[in-house]
Amino acid sequence: MMALAYYLLKVCLCSALLFGYYHLALRNRLFHQWNRFYLLAAVLLSLLIPFMHVTITHEEIAASKAIEMLQVVESADHYFEDAAISREAGINKEPMIMAAYLSVCLVLLLFFISGLLRIAALVKKNGSRRVGDIRFVSTSDPRAPFSFFRYIFWNQNIDLTSETGQQIFQHELAHVEQRHSLDKLLLQAVLVVCWINPVFWLIRKELRMIHEFIADRRAVAEHGAPALAAMILQSAYPGQFNSATNHFFQTPIKRRLTMLTKLQHSRLAYLSRIIALPVIAITAMAFGLRTNNTVIPGLTREYTVVIDAGHGKQSNGLHSGARSENVYEDDIVLELSKKIQALNSNSKIKIILTRATDAATDLKERVRIAEVNKADLFISLHTNARPEGSTTPGSGIEVFVQPSAIHGKQSERLGSAIISELGSIYKTDPSLKSTPRSVYILKYSPCPAVLVECGYITDPQDKAFVTGPANQDAIAKKILSAINRYIAQQETGPHSKDSLPSHGQIKIEADNIDFTGGKGSNPAFYSLVVINGKKYAPANIVLDGLKAKSITLFDAKEGMKKFGEEGKGGVLLIEGAETTSFKEKSL
């Protein structure tokens, strides 16, 4: 319901802007056909523009005034996107509101259909005869004369051969030839769905008036303005259909008479019409363009992020992840990973998926994907489930890291950024969780890695949240924001890299570093490895499983200063290593 309300609000704002310009600059001008099509375009654009999502990227520091203005409009997007996501349990009033809204839609639809049926009943009761391309229906109905598509319903009390009758006939003929009934049907159909938008009702009223102006001009051309004006003044207002018909005696007399005698100012008319085009363009930009202020200014390189959709279908076709009724973890996290990749608009961040289909990927293959692509970050997506028989009411989002891994500190920073972002849209445990046992992808990831449990699918509220398409978009956007935040910190922070440094050295210390090898700490990245003061060739050392007190990474320049020619390709210095936890071939 919130998604519909948000859409309808944007439709209201778009239509208000476009109609506002019409009212100020185009209303009561003599270019009636232009005004007719402008109002029709305003309705269609108001319905379509909210669906537009064209993202423009910019450097946050150098954002222009135009970008800032777009962000003012866009800030409403973020407000309603966040509001659309329920954070607390409670009475859900949305179904009742939706039912009330649809009830009004149904009533309007019935009125619309009723009007069409009454027109059909008139044709059936009185019959029709063809006059050229027109179907002529003679009736005693007091609401006549009026027209509907190629039908002209004529009041038997009006003499068709008289001067007045001919003017009215030419008037109705103009409605037929200009296909005004099509406009009315379109507006009526739109109002059935968007009845809550007051601007559309105003546009319908104004469009009906423009139809009369166009038809009056046709009658004036045939018989002159004074005669038509006199005839209008002598006319009364009979009953009317509230439907898609065109009535001769239905519009305010004063405006019709004014438009009959008004003179056209060609230069002003031309400018008024031309200015309408940039107004439409600005409206489309304001509501359709999305600014991306998460692009980090001055990134030194491209970053690769692996998004791992946990589990997947096994070779026997069975799901390997958690399940709650007909909801499967495998499907949810796959959809989330695809959304993250699709919504990424930062050209300096490359998103790679460990699986793009529902088929499961081997754990070692997931890590290998990160190694081959020299990934900077690894994020594994999962959903949780409460074990059968458990009395613990599991719910909410949780983020897991493995602090003892080589990239433990960096993983914690990444995890903290994800918690901060996701916590703004849904209940999220504010503390990082440490895995009770080694998780393969966290332990052997060649880069900072986290595991995100996107709620419990055994919890009704969590399940509703994580399976909702709008909520999945929100999760994806927040994870992307966290990635951008982490990279920004890495670019500017004191511990900016966990791989071979671009200059100088980086020292990583912990009580017990669980060294897994791979990017940044992979021996293949260096020309020399020094463990506990002993030198090794990178090709002759296997570090998987090594545990150490500290690791220092030297770039080429610093490596040569410390170790001479041997360090010209960079040096990996490991101290306090357990000698039984790695395979070695001494130089």
Side-chain angles (χ1 to χ4, degrees):
M1 179 62 199
M2 278 301 298
L4 176 61
Y6 172 54
Y7 169 74
L8 291 174
L9 177 62
K10 293 187 76 173
V11 170
C12 287
L13 292 174
C14 288
S15 58
L17 285 174
L18 295 173
F19 185 73
Y21 176 77
Y22 167 84
H23 199 274
L24 291 174
L26 302 177
R27 188 174 182 267
N28 289 335
R29 303 290 184 184
L30 295 182
F31 31 88
H32 304 312
Q33 287 289 11
W34 168 271
N35 284 353
R36 173 195 177 189
F37 291 115
Y38 176 87
L39 290 177
L40 290 173
V43 172
L44 295 177
L45 288 173
S46 299
L47 295 172
L48 295 176
I49 285 175
F51 288 112
M52 293 173 54
H53 294 290
V54 181
T55 303
I56 55 174
T57 60
H58 64 92
E59 293 189 355
E60 191 170 6
I61 293 177
S64 65
K65 292 296 182 183
I67 294 294
E68 291 174 1
M69 292 186 68
L70 285 178
Q71 288 174 328
V72 171
V73 177
E74 187 183 353
S75 63
D77 290 1
H78 298 309
Y79 174 81
F80 281 98
E81 284 172 2
D82 291 347
I85 299 167
S86 174
R87 301 185 188 181
E88 302 294 337
I91 299 175
N92 189 357
K93 297 181 180 179
E94 288 189 6
M96 293 184 289
I97 297 173
M98 177 63 80
Y101 185 87
L102 292 177
S103 297
V104 177
C105 293
L106 180 60
V107 170
L108 290 174
L109 179 61
L110 292 176
F111 271 112
F112 183 33
I113 294 173
S114 174
L116 296 177
L117 291 176
R118 287 159 65 190
I119 294 172
L122 276 179
V123 176
K124 183 177 180 180
K125 176 182 178 181
N126 298 282
S128 66
R129 57 191 174 89
R130 182 178 294 277
V131 180
D133 294 332
I134 306 301
R135 304 294 298 187
F136 194 86
V137 180
S138 181
T139 177
S140 59
D141 193 296
R143 290 163 291 198
F146 62 87
S147 59
F148 181 70
F149 286 97
R150 305 208 69 81
Y151 284 84
I152 292 180
F153 295 80
W154 191 259
N155 193 316
Q156 296 172 351
N157 297 321
I158 299 177
D159 184 3
L160 180 59
T161 61
S162 67
E163 182 178 353
T164 298
Q166 282 299 302
Q167 283 186 313
I168 296 175
F169 180 76
Q170 292 298 327
H171 182 99
E172 295 303 327
L173 191 60
H175 284 311
V176 172
E177 292 175 347
Q178 295 293 326
R179 297 181 174 85
H180 290 165
S181 295
L182 194 59
D183 300 359
K184 292 175 179 289
L185 281 179
L186 172 64
L187 263 296
Q188 204 72 28
V190 169
L191 284 170
V192 166
V193 179
C194 299
W195 57 267
I196 201 169
N197 183 358
V199 181
F200 283 169
W201 292 96
L202 294 174
I203 289 177
R204 186 183 76 159
K205 179 181 178 182
E206 193 64 25
L207 194 60
R208 286 180 172 180
M209 181 67 74
I210 290 173
H211 289 167
E212 297 307 315
F213 293 159
I214 293 172
D216 285 345
R217 283 287 164 182
R218 167 70 176 269
V220 164
E222 295 291 332
H223 298 280
L228 181 61
M231 179 195 63
I232 293 175
L233 288 172
Q234 293 171 1
S235 303
Y237 286 95
Q240 300 175 18
F241 282 113
N242 187 22
S243 64
T245 57
N246 300 289
H247 296 271
F248 181 74
F249 303 120
Q250 74 166 2
T251 52
I253 294 173
K254 184 177 179 179
R255 279 189 70 189
R256 290 176 67 182
L257 294 178
T258 301
M259 298 308 295
L260 283 173
T261 57
K262 193 168 186 177
L263 297 176
Q264 178 76 285
H265 298 282
S266 57
R267 180 175 298 180
L268 182 60
Y270 179 76
L271 288 175
S272 299
R273 283 177 283 183
I274 291 299
I275 294 174
L277 300 178
V279 169
I280 293 173
I282 291 171
T283 303
M285 289 175 60
F287 290 91
L289 291 182
R290 297 294 186 93
T291 62
N292 179 17
N293 59 4
T294 60
V295 176
I296 304 161
L299 285 183
T300 58
R301 62 183 177 85
E302 183 182 85
Y303 287 79
T304 299
V305 180
V306 173
I307 303 297
D308 173 44
H311 303 286
K313 283 186 178 179
Q314 304 173 42
S315 57
N316 58 8
L318 297 177
H319 291 272
S320 59
R323 174 184 177 180
S324 176
E325 298 176 343
N326 61 338
V327 176
Y328 297 92
E329 174 184 9
D330 309 356
D331 300 333
I332 294 172
V333 295
L334 177 60
E335 188 64 25
L336 284 173
S337 65
K338 288 180 177 179
K339 286 181 180 289
I340 291 173
Q341 186 179 55
L343 293 172
N344 175 46
S345 57
N346 192 332
S347 60
K348 289 294 186 72
I349 295 178
K350 181 181 180 182
I351 303 292
I352 293 176
L353 307 183
T354 56
R355 67 181 179 96
T357 67
D358 59 2
T361 303
D362 181 77
L363 290 176
K364 291 184 178 179
E365 176 62 19
R366 297 170 193 258
V367 173
R368 193 192 72 81
I369 290 172
E371 291 177 341
V372 169
N373 289 282
K374 300 181 179 179
D376 295 276
L377 299 174
F378 188 99
I379 300 175
S380 185
L381 303 178
H382 294 259
T383 60
N384 223 326
R386 187 176 60 191
E388 288 188 23
S390 173
T391 57
T392 304
S395 66
I397 297 173
E398 297 172 328
V399 179
F400 290 81
V401 296
Q402 195 157 324
S404 61
I406 181 67
H407 305 289
K409 294 297 182 184
Q410 289 82 359
S411 298
E412 289 176 3
R413 284 198 286 272
L414 174 60
S416 297
I418 292 175
I419 286 175
S420 176
E421 292 292 338
L422 292 179
S424 67
I425 61 170
Y426 195 70
K427 55 186 178 184
T428 301
D429 194 316
S431 60
L432 283 170
K433 301 290 185 180
S434 178
T435 54
R437 54 186 174 80
S438 293
V439 175
Y440 189 90
I441 55 176
L442 298 183
K443 179 178 181 180
Y444 293 101
S445 170
C447 56
V450 299
L451 187 151
V452 183
E453 294 279 7
C454 302
Y456 283 70
I457 57 176
T458 49
D459 178 78
Q461 186 179 355
D462 283 12
K463 183 196 294 185
F465 170 77
V466 77
T467 55
N471 297 340
Q472 290 179 347
D473 285 344
I475 293 172
K477 290 176 183 177
K478 292 301 183 181
I479 290 177
L480 285 168
S481 295
I483 292 170
N484 279 277
R485 282 179 56 181
Y486 173 85
I487 292 175
Q489 293 170 358
Q490 291 297 95
E491 287 272 326
T492 59
H495 304 289
S496 62
K497 293 184 174 58
D498 60 345
S499 58
L500 181 64
S502 58
H503 57 81
Q505 66 183 60
I506 294 176
K507 187 171 184 178
I508 303 170
E509 294 182 295
D511 291 336
N512 188 19
I513 298 176
D514 187 358
F515 188 89
T516 61
K519 179 175 170 50
S521 319
N522 191 326
F525 279 78
Y526 307 89
S527 61
L528 179 65
V529 177
V530 181
I531 304 177
N532 296 342
K534 195 172 183 179
K535 298 178 181 179
Y536 299 90
N540 295 332
I541 192 74
V542 178
L543 300 177
D544 289 346
L546 179 143
K547 298 183 183 299
K549 295 293 184 182
S550 70
I551 295 174
T552 306
L553 315 177
F554 297 92
D555 68 352
K557 183 177 180 181
E558 195 68 21
M560 289 186 69
K561 284 173 61 177
K562 298 286 185 181
F563 298 96
E565 189 69 17
E566 291 176 308
K568 64 181 180 181
V571 178
L572 176 61
L573 176 63
I574 301 172
E575 297 174 300
E578 297 179 9
T579 57
T580 58
S581 62
F582 63 95
K583 299 176 183 178
E584 58 181 274
K585 291 183 180 180
S586 178
L587 289 175

